[in-house]
mmCIF file of all heavy atoms in Angstrom:
data_model
loop_
_atom_site.group_PDB
_atom_site.id
_atom_site.type_symbol
_atom_site.label_atom_id
_atom_site.label_comp_id
_atom_site.label_asym_id
_atom_site.label_seq_id
_atom_site.Cartn_x
_atom_site.Cartn_y
_atom_site.Cartn_z
ATOM 1 N N LYS B 16 2.649 5.073 -14.666
ATOM 2 C CA LYS B 16 1.689 4.589 -15.643
ATOM 3 C C LYS B 16 0.506 5.563 -15.713
ATOM 4 O O LYS B 16 0.242 6.309 -14.749
ATOM 5 C CB LYS B 16 1.047 3.193 -15.289
ATOM 6 C CG LYS B 16 2.105 2.100 -15.221
ATOM 7 C CD LYS B 16 1.526 0.803 -14.832
ATOM 8 C CE LYS B 16 2.491 -0.334 -14.728
ATOM 9 N NZ LYS B 16 1.741 -1.611 -14.311
ATOM 10 N N ASN B 17 -0.350 5.525 -16.773
ATOM 11 C CA ASN B 17 -1.518 6.324 -17.037
ATOM 12 C C ASN B 17 -2.485 6.157 -15.912
ATOM 13 O O ASN B 17 -3.210 7.111 -15.407
ATOM 14 C CB ASN B 17 -2.031 6.287 -18.328
ATOM 15 C CG ASN B 17 -1.128 6.871 -19.508
ATOM 16 O OD1 ASN B 17 -0.347 7.743 -19.101
ATOM 17 N ND2 ASN B 17 -1.364 6.443 -20.594
ATOM 18 N N GLU B 18 -2.594 4.973 -15.484
ATOM 19 C CA GLU B 18 -3.479 4.598 -14.469
ATOM 20 C C GLU B 18 -3.082 3.217 -13.885
ATOM 21 O O GLU B 18 -2.594 2.442 -14.610
ATOM 22 C CB GLU B 18 -4.939 4.722 -14.708
ATOM 23 C CG GLU B 18 -5.398 3.809 -15.986
ATOM 24 C CD GLU B 18 -6.830 4.056 -16.420
ATOM 25 O OE1 GLU B 18 -7.114 4.879 -17.205
ATOM 26 O OE2 GLU B 18 -7.717 3.326 -15.838
ATOM 27 N N ASP B 19 -3.495 3.059 -12.616
ATOM 28 C CA ASP B 19 -3.256 1.750 -12.089
ATOM 29 C C ASP B 19 -4.076 1.519 -10.617
ATOM 30 O O ASP B 19 -4.543 2.428 -10.117
ATOM 31 C CB ASP B 19 -1.801 1.567 -11.705
ATOM 32 C CG ASP B 19 -1.233 0.058 -11.638
ATOM 33 O OD1 ASP B 19 -2.107 -0.709 -11.791
ATOM 34 O OD2 ASP B 19 0.062 -0.148 -11.516
ATOM 35 N N ILE B 20 -4.062 0.243 -10.293
ATOM 36 C CA ILE B 20 -4.634 -0.110 -8.921
ATOM 37 C C ILE B 20 -3.558 -0.682 -8.063
ATOM 38 O O ILE B 20 -2.953 -1.720 -8.488
ATOM 39 C CB ILE B 20 -5.876 -1.024 -9.079
ATOM 40 C CG1 ILE B 20 -6.949 -0.362 -10.011
ATOM 41 C CG2 ILE B 20 -6.411 -1.316 -7.710
ATOM 42 C CD1 ILE B 20 -8.158 -1.328 -10.143
ATOM 43 N N LEU B 21 -3.285 -0.128 -7.052
ATOM 44 C CA LEU B 21 -2.211 -0.704 -6.139
ATOM 45 C C LEU B 21 -2.847 -1.449 -4.910
ATOM 46 O O LEU B 21 -3.722 -0.912 -4.332
ATOM 47 C CB LEU B 21 -1.403 0.502 -5.536
ATOM 48 C CG LEU B 21 -0.694 1.638 -6.542
ATOM 49 C CD1 LEU B 21 0.004 2.609 -5.848
ATOM 50 C CD2 LEU B 21 0.105 0.823 -7.578
ATOM 51 N N LYS B 22 -2.432 -2.600 -4.980
ATOM 52 C CA LYS B 22 -2.809 -3.548 -3.783
ATOM 53 C C LYS B 22 -1.650 -4.143 -2.963
ATOM 54 O O LYS B 22 -0.720 -4.651 -3.631
ATOM 55 C CB LYS B 22 -3.696 -4.673 -4.314
ATOM 56 C CG LYS B 22 -5.032 -4.217 -4.939
ATOM 57 C CD LYS B 22 -5.932 -5.459 -5.427
ATOM 58 C CE LYS B 22 -7.193 -4.973 -6.089
ATOM 59 N NZ LYS B 22 -7.933 -6.154 -6.517
ATOM 60 N N SER B 23 -1.739 -4.020 -1.760
ATOM 61 C CA SER B 23 -0.540 -4.668 -0.932
ATOM 62 C C SER B 23 -1.102 -4.592 0.491
ATOM 63 O O SER B 23 -2.275 -4.208 0.898
ATOM 64 C CB SER B 23 0.673 -3.656 -0.987
ATOM 65 O OG SER B 23 0.351 -2.405 -0.488
ATOM 66 N N TYR B 24 -0.312 -5.313 1.452
ATOM 67 C CA TYR B 24 -0.604 -5.468 2.828
ATOM 68 C C TYR B 24 0.128 -4.511 3.737
ATOM 69 O O TYR B 24 1.490 -4.711 3.431
ATOM 70 C CB TYR B 24 -0.625 -6.903 3.202
ATOM 71 C CG TYR B 24 -1.721 -7.673 2.457
ATOM 72 C CD1 TYR B 24 -1.433 -8.240 1.198
ATOM 73 C CD2 TYR B 24 -2.898 -7.970 3.006
ATOM 74 C CE1 TYR B 24 -2.361 -9.062 0.474
ATOM 75 C CE2 TYR B 24 -3.942 -8.728 2.270
ATOM 76 C CZ TYR B 24 -3.579 -9.191 1.130
ATOM 77 O OH TYR B 24 -4.508 -10.053 0.427
ATOM 78 N N LEU B 25 -0.384 -3.819 4.581
ATOM 79 C CA LEU B 25 0.414 -2.813 5.398
ATOM 80 C C LEU B 25 0.379 -3.149 6.874
ATOM 81 O O LEU B 25 -0.584 -3.525 7.394
ATOM 82 C CB LEU B 25 -0.109 -1.416 5.023
ATOM 83 C CG LEU B 25 -0.162 -0.853 3.698
ATOM 84 C CD1 LEU B 25 -0.797 0.489 3.579
ATOM 85 C CD2 LEU B 25 1.108 -1.085 2.910
ATOM 86 N N LYS B 26 1.520 -2.897 7.421
ATOM 87 C CA LYS B 26 1.681 -3.021 8.880
ATOM 88 C C LYS B 26 2.536 -1.898 9.472
ATOM 89 O O LYS B 26 3.525 -1.427 8.795
ATOM 90 C CB LYS B 26 2.273 -4.451 9.214
ATOM 91 C CG LYS B 26 2.293 -4.817 10.728
ATOM 92 C CD LYS B 26 2.834 -6.337 10.842
ATOM 93 C CE LYS B 26 2.831 -6.618 12.257
ATOM 94 N NZ LYS B 26 3.229 -8.087 12.438
ATOM 95 N N GLU B 27 2.179 -1.516 10.717
ATOM 96 C CA GLU B 27 3.117 -0.485 11.442
ATOM 97 C C GLU B 27 3.892 -1.094 12.461
ATOM 98 O O GLU B 27 3.499 -1.939 13.298
ATOM 99 C CB GLU B 27 2.027 0.506 11.972
ATOM 100 C CG GLU B 27 2.688 1.749 12.631
ATOM 101 C CD GLU B 27 1.748 2.657 13.214
ATOM 102 O OE1 GLU B 27 0.552 2.543 13.171
ATOM 103 O OE2 GLU B 27 2.279 3.824 13.772
ATOM 104 N N ASN B 28 5.208 -0.590 12.476
ATOM 105 C CA ASN B 28 6.100 -1.164 13.623
ATOM 106 C C ASN B 28 6.158 -0.207 14.764
ATOM 107 O O ASN B 28 5.298 0.730 14.827
ATOM 108 C CB ASN B 28 7.412 -1.308 13.000
ATOM 109 C CG ASN B 28 8.176 0.001 12.636
ATOM 110 O OD1 ASN B 28 7.814 1.100 13.060
ATOM 111 N ND2 ASN B 28 9.175 0.004 11.782
ATOM 112 N N ASN B 29 6.855 -0.559 15.715
ATOM 113 C CA ASN B 29 6.863 0.155 17.130
ATOM 114 C C ASN B 29 7.425 1.615 16.956
ATOM 115 O O ASN B 29 7.156 2.488 17.816
ATOM 116 C CB ASN B 29 7.594 -0.580 18.086
ATOM 117 C CG ASN B 29 7.047 -1.783 18.491
ATOM 118 O OD1 ASN B 29 5.866 -1.992 18.475
ATOM 119 N ND2 ASN B 29 7.944 -2.816 18.956
ATOM 120 N N ASN B 30 8.033 1.813 15.729
ATOM 121 C CA ASN B 30 8.577 3.167 15.498
ATOM 122 C C ASN B 30 7.547 4.118 14.671
ATOM 123 O O ASN B 30 7.971 5.014 14.080
ATOM 124 C CB ASN B 30 9.942 3.233 14.815
ATOM 125 C CG ASN B 30 10.968 2.611 15.881
ATOM 126 O OD1 ASN B 30 11.016 2.867 17.053
ATOM 127 N ND2 ASN B 30 11.846 1.707 15.262
ATOM 128 N N HIS B 31 6.349 3.689 14.587
ATOM 129 C CA HIS B 31 5.309 4.309 13.701
ATOM 130 C C HIS B 31 5.612 4.341 12.229
ATOM 131 O O HIS B 31 5.252 5.226 11.609
ATOM 132 C CB HIS B 31 5.067 5.669 14.211
ATOM 133 C CG HIS B 31 4.755 5.666 15.661
ATOM 134 N ND1 HIS B 31 3.677 5.113 16.195
ATOM 135 C CD2 HIS B 31 5.433 6.175 16.772
ATOM 136 C CE1 HIS B 31 3.624 5.278 17.632
ATOM 137 N NE2 HIS B 31 4.671 5.978 17.872
ATOM 138 N N PHE B 32 6.525 3.307 11.748
ATOM 139 C CA PHE B 32 6.854 3.363 10.380
ATOM 140 C C PHE B 32 5.884 2.194 9.670
ATOM 141 O O PHE B 32 5.865 1.003 10.199
ATOM 142 C CB PHE B 32 8.358 2.946 10.209
ATOM 143 C CG PHE B 32 8.790 2.929 8.779
ATOM 144 C CD1 PHE B 32 9.188 4.130 8.166
ATOM 145 C CD2 PHE B 32 8.767 1.744 8.073
ATOM 146 C CE1 PHE B 32 9.659 4.193 6.887
ATOM 147 C CE2 PHE B 32 9.207 1.814 6.720
ATOM 148 C CZ PHE B 32 9.656 2.985 6.067
ATOM 149 N N VAL B 33 5.268 2.526 8.707
ATOM 150 C CA VAL B 33 4.244 1.620 7.953
ATOM 151 C C VAL B 33 5.060 0.994 6.730
ATOM 152 O O VAL B 33 5.750 1.648 5.999
ATOM 153 C CB VAL B 33 3.069 2.320 7.552
ATOM 154 C CG1 VAL B 33 2.128 1.334 6.817
ATOM 155 C CG2 VAL B 33 2.381 2.973 8.738
ATOM 156 N N TYR B 34 4.895 -0.317 6.672
ATOM 157 C CA TYR B 34 5.599 -1.074 5.676
ATOM 158 C C TYR B 34 4.861 -2.164 5.001
ATOM 159 O O TYR B 34 3.678 -2.512 5.619
ATOM 160 C CB TYR B 34 6.936 -1.555 6.107
ATOM 161 C CG TYR B 34 6.851 -2.654 7.249
ATOM 162 C CD1 TYR B 34 6.736 -3.985 7.069
ATOM 163 C CD2 TYR B 34 6.638 -2.183 8.607
ATOM 164 C CE1 TYR B 34 6.682 -4.830 8.022
ATOM 165 C CE2 TYR B 34 6.418 -3.109 9.594
ATOM 166 C CZ TYR B 34 6.493 -4.493 9.334
ATOM 167 O OH TYR B 34 6.423 -5.353 10.353
ATOM 168 N N GLU B 35 5.085 -2.470 3.795
ATOM 169 C CA GLU B 35 4.340 -3.562 3.142
ATOM 170 C C GLU B 35 4.840 -5.088 3.534
ATOM 171 O O GLU B 35 6.022 -5.395 3.554
ATOM 172 C CB GLU B 35 4.489 -3.483 1.656
ATOM 173 C CG GLU B 35 3.894 -2.174 1.089
ATOM 174 C CD GLU B 35 4.014 -1.949 -0.349
ATOM 175 O OE1 GLU B 35 5.182 -2.294 -0.943
ATOM 176 O OE2 GLU B 35 3.101 -1.526 -1.006
ATOM 177 N N THR B 36 3.891 -5.919 3.883
ATOM 178 C CA THR B 36 4.227 -7.245 4.298
ATOM 179 C C THR B 36 2.970 -8.076 4.332
ATOM 180 O O THR B 36 1.847 -7.552 4.262
ATOM 181 C CB THR B 36 4.686 -7.257 5.930
ATOM 182 O OG1 THR B 36 4.786 -8.618 6.218
ATOM 183 C CG2 THR B 36 3.708 -6.519 6.730
ATOM 184 N N LYS B 37 3.141 -9.393 3.970
ATOM 185 C CA LYS B 37 1.941 -10.168 3.832
ATOM 186 C C LYS B 37 1.199 -10.411 5.083
ATOM 187 O O LYS B 37 0.028 -10.811 5.128
ATOM 188 C CB LYS B 37 2.487 -11.684 3.333
ATOM 189 C CG LYS B 37 2.973 -11.625 2.007
ATOM 190 C CD LYS B 37 3.448 -12.971 1.489
ATOM 191 C CE LYS B 37 3.902 -12.983 0.017
ATOM 192 N NZ LYS B 37 4.425 -14.364 -0.356
ATOM 193 N N GLU B 38 1.794 -10.051 6.277
ATOM 194 C CA GLU B 38 1.143 -10.100 7.544
ATOM 195 C C GLU B 38 0.284 -8.919 7.875
ATOM 196 O O GLU B 38 -0.283 -8.864 8.933
ATOM 197 C CB GLU B 38 2.256 -10.280 8.695
ATOM 198 C CG GLU B 38 2.865 -11.662 8.656
ATOM 199 C CD GLU B 38 3.992 -11.960 7.514
ATOM 200 O OE1 GLU B 38 4.451 -10.956 7.301
ATOM 201 O OE2 GLU B 38 3.895 -12.964 7.024
ATOM 202 N N GLY B 39 0.249 -7.845 7.048
ATOM 203 C CA GLY B 39 -0.517 -6.741 7.159
ATOM 204 C C GLY B 39 -1.919 -6.762 6.851
ATOM 205 O O GLY B 39 -2.391 -7.728 6.479
ATOM 206 N N LYS B 40 -2.601 -5.570 6.871
ATOM 207 C CA LYS B 40 -4.060 -5.464 6.295
ATOM 208 C C LYS B 40 -4.017 -5.035 4.896
ATOM 209 O O LYS B 40 -3.211 -4.103 4.462
ATOM 210 C CB LYS B 40 -4.701 -4.398 7.316
ATOM 211 C CG LYS B 40 -4.779 -4.874 8.720
ATOM 212 C CD LYS B 40 -5.479 -3.825 9.541
ATOM 213 C CE LYS B 40 -5.677 -4.310 10.927
ATOM 214 N NZ LYS B 40 -6.460 -3.286 11.821
ATOM 215 N N LEU B 41 -4.995 -5.408 4.165
ATOM 216 C CA LEU B 41 -5.125 -5.132 2.644
ATOM 217 C C LEU B 41 -5.386 -3.554 2.653
ATOM 218 O O LEU B 41 -6.096 -2.921 3.241
ATOM 219 C CB LEU B 41 -6.319 -5.863 2.170
ATOM 220 C CG LEU B 41 -6.623 -5.533 0.715
ATOM 221 C CD1 LEU B 41 -5.402 -5.982 -0.223
ATOM 222 C CD2 LEU B 41 -7.836 -6.287 0.292
ATOM 223 N N ALA B 42 -4.596 -2.953 1.671
ATOM 224 C CA ALA B 42 -4.750 -1.761 1.336
ATOM 225 C C ALA B 42 -4.922 -1.446 -0.321
ATOM 226 O O ALA B 42 -4.121 -2.114 -0.981
ATOM 227 C CB ALA B 42 -3.594 -0.840 1.719
ATOM 228 N N ILE B 43 -5.883 -0.749 -0.754
ATOM 229 C CA ILE B 43 -6.218 -0.605 -2.160
ATOM 230 C C ILE B 43 -6.342 0.842 -2.528
ATOM 231 O O ILE B 43 -7.046 1.634 -1.955
ATOM 232 C CB ILE B 43 -7.512 -1.369 -2.593
ATOM 233 C CG1 ILE B 43 -7.526 -2.863 -2.093
ATOM 234 C CG2 ILE B 43 -7.755 -1.174 -4.019
ATOM 235 C CD1 ILE B 43 -8.779 -3.493 -2.462
ATOM 236 N N THR B 44 -5.516 1.262 -3.452
ATOM 237 C CA THR B 44 -5.466 2.721 -3.890
ATOM 238 C C THR B 44 -5.422 2.658 -5.434
ATOM 239 O O THR B 44 -4.672 2.009 -6.146
ATOM 240 C CB THR B 44 -4.053 3.437 -3.475
ATOM 241 O OG1 THR B 44 -4.005 3.160 -2.060
ATOM 242 C CG2 THR B 44 -4.054 4.715 -4.051
ATOM 243 N N GLU B 45 -6.519 3.395 -6.104
ATOM 244 C CA GLU B 45 -6.576 3.656 -7.397
ATOM 245 C C GLU B 45 -5.979 5.044 -7.735
ATOM 246 O O GLU B 45 -6.081 5.954 -6.948
ATOM 247 C CB GLU B 45 -8.004 3.595 -7.952
ATOM 248 C CG GLU B 45 -8.748 2.288 -7.785
ATOM 249 C CD GLU B 45 -10.120 2.398 -8.203
ATOM 250 O OE1 GLU B 45 -10.605 3.540 -8.552
ATOM 251 O OE2 GLU B 45 -10.841 1.303 -8.210
ATOM 252 N N TYR B 46 -5.260 5.052 -8.930
ATOM 253 C CA TYR B 46 -4.888 6.449 -9.213
ATOM 254 C C TYR B 46 -4.881 6.548 -10.850
ATOM 255 O O TYR B 46 -4.969 5.570 -11.635
ATOM 256 C CB TYR B 46 -3.386 6.623 -8.824
ATOM 257 C CG TYR B 46 -2.336 5.987 -9.648
ATOM 258 C CD1 TYR B 46 -1.742 6.575 -10.816
ATOM 259 C CD2 TYR B 46 -1.797 4.804 -9.230
ATOM 260 C CE1 TYR B 46 -0.782 5.978 -11.576
ATOM 261 C CE2 TYR B 46 -0.703 4.251 -9.964
ATOM 262 C CZ TYR B 46 -0.250 4.738 -11.097
ATOM 263 O OH TYR B 46 0.726 4.175 -11.890
ATOM 264 N N LYS B 47 -4.902 7.871 -11.246
ATOM 265 C CA LYS B 47 -4.911 8.187 -12.703
ATOM 266 C C LYS B 47 -3.970 9.334 -12.884
ATOM 267 O O LYS B 47 -4.002 10.354 -12.024
ATOM 268 C CB LYS B 47 -6.306 8.566 -13.099
ATOM 269 C CG LYS B 47 -6.476 8.797 -14.574
ATOM 270 C CD LYS B 47 -7.867 9.208 -14.906
ATOM 271 C CE LYS B 47 -8.001 9.489 -16.430
ATOM 272 N NZ LYS B 47 -9.408 9.700 -16.816
ATOM 273 N N LYS B 48 -3.084 9.285 -13.747
ATOM 274 C CA LYS B 48 -2.017 10.336 -14.009
ATOM 275 C C LYS B 48 -2.860 11.473 -14.809
ATOM 276 O O LYS B 48 -3.552 11.224 -15.768
ATOM 277 C CB LYS B 48 -1.000 10.001 -14.902
ATOM 278 C CG LYS B 48 0.076 10.967 -15.092
ATOM 279 C CD LYS B 48 1.355 10.369 -15.745
ATOM 280 C CE LYS B 48 1.111 9.670 -17.086
ATOM 281 N NZ LYS B 48 2.481 9.012 -17.669
ATOM 282 N N ILE B 49 -2.578 12.763 -14.393
ATOM 283 C CA ILE B 49 -3.299 13.793 -14.898
ATOM 284 C C ILE B 49 -2.308 14.807 -15.576
ATOM 285 O O ILE B 49 -2.724 15.746 -16.319
ATOM 286 C CB ILE B 49 -4.251 14.625 -13.885
ATOM 287 C CG1 ILE B 49 -3.375 14.869 -12.756
ATOM 288 C CG2 ILE B 49 -5.474 13.914 -13.653
ATOM 289 C CD1 ILE B 49 -4.390 15.602 -11.628
#
């Protein structure tokens, strides 16, 4: 999209892999396509 705000909850497992889950911490990222 030309621009968007991404909101999700992130958690890291024992293998250092981060994934989205409702049990994680809130993450917010804004972006704009250039």
Side-chain angles (χ1 to χ4, degrees):
K16 296 178 181 178
N17 287 336
E18 57 184 86
D19 203 356
I20 300 175
L21 307 180
K22 294 183 180 181
S23 61
Y24 295 85
L25 306 183
K26 188 175 182 179
E27 183 179 6
N28 65 22
N29 293 334
N30 294 319
H31 307 294
F32 186 86
V33 181
Y34 59 100
E35 295 180 321
T36 172
K37 293 181 180 179
E38 288 74 39
K40 295 181 178 180
L41 177 63
I43 304 174
T44 301
E45 296 180 351
Y46 78 82
K47 182 177 182 179
K48 182 167 62 180
I49 49 182

